[in-house]
Amino acid sequence: MLSMNDTIDIAALEAAQLVIIHYPDERLARLSRELRPEEITPAMGPLLQRMFELMEQGPGVGLAAPQVGINLRFFVANATGEPEDKRVYINPVIIAGEGWAENEEGCLSLPGISCRLKRRATVTVRALDANGNVFEETGTDLLARIFQHEIDHLDGTTIADRMSTVAKLANRRALKRLEEEAGK
Ligand SMILES: [Zn+2]
């Protein structure tokens, strides 16, 4: 199932053409593969810039590569909206989680849909930055939620998979509209 992903040539991508894909696009349901060290180069620059642009236009606080149709394990995030808080997380892994918190959550790939989800309240991730350097970061509240939401995307999981039956019912019209739009 990963054979197509193996041929992704980041440098050859037309970054400016990328758009956010919507549920139920099957690329959102795939397990994405890790980037190889030789793929983490300055050639990722235009792609990352485009992802930040799409995230800000959303507006959103995080955007994972599968959301622009690229099944590779990385995401961009900015929990505060301040330029200095823009971050890139490549091959991220959750190495610790503490406590629980329930809050409202949405997704740029599921416009018009939101649900309350219980997530870890504090989460530590280990990832590579855009220069390929390993770092660890601990996030609480919104940042912890972003980490878990975006890593879900890398595993092919969206809020549609996580929401309760009650939330599915509450969002049924919006979900149906997205399914119909995809069918056109
Ligand atoms: Zn999302």
Side-chain angles (χ1 to χ4, degrees), residues 28 62-64 67 105-110 149-150 153 157-159:
L28 292 170
L63 190 71
Q67 294 183 272
E105 209 169 302
C107 179
L108 294 177
S109 292
L110 288 101
H149 180 111
E150 303 309 334
H153 275 303
T157 299
T158 69
I159 58 172

Side-chain angles (χ1 to χ4, degrees), residues 15-97:
Q17 308 297 321
L18 294 173
V19 294
I20 295 177
I21 62 172
H22 291 165
Y23 166 91
D25 191 304
E26 65 128 17
R27 290 169 289 181
L28 292 170
R30 286 185 196 153
L31 176 69
S32 292
R33 74 154 168 86
E34 287 198 336
L35 275 85
R36 296 184 277 263
E38 65 270 23
E39 290 176 315
I40 306 167
T41 72
M44 286 185 81
L47 169 59
L48 295 172
Q49 201 182 327
R50 177 64 177 155
M51 285 175 63
F52 276 116
E53 193 176 275
L54 290 169
M55 180 188 82
E56 286 159 14
Q57 280 170 8
V61 287
L63 190 71
Q67 294 183 272
V68 294
I70 299 172
N71 285 113
L72 292 174
R73 299 188 76 84
F74 69 96
F75 67 90
V76 301
N78 187 341
T80 67
E82 299 298 330
E84 66 269 23
D85 289 328
K86 286 165 77 166
R87 295 276 187 285
V88 175
Y89 303 83
I90 298 171
N91 299 342
V93 179
I94 291 175
I95 56 170

Side-chain angles (χ1 to χ4, degrees), residues 113 166-179:
I113 289 162
V166 172
K168 265 206 179 97
L169 274 171
N171 285 290
R172 69 186 182 281
R173 282 171 192 277
L175 286 164
K176 192 160 185 275
R177 177 177 48 76
L178 289 173
E179 283 159 11

Side-chain angles (χ1 to χ4, degrees), residues 110-132:
L110 288 101
I113 289 162
S114 70
C115 58
R116 292 187 73 80
L117 289 181
K118 198 173 164 185
R119 300 274 199 186
R120 284 292 185 183
T122 300
V123 160
T124 301
V125 293
R126 180 183 294 142
L128 302 174
D129 65 17
N131 299 314

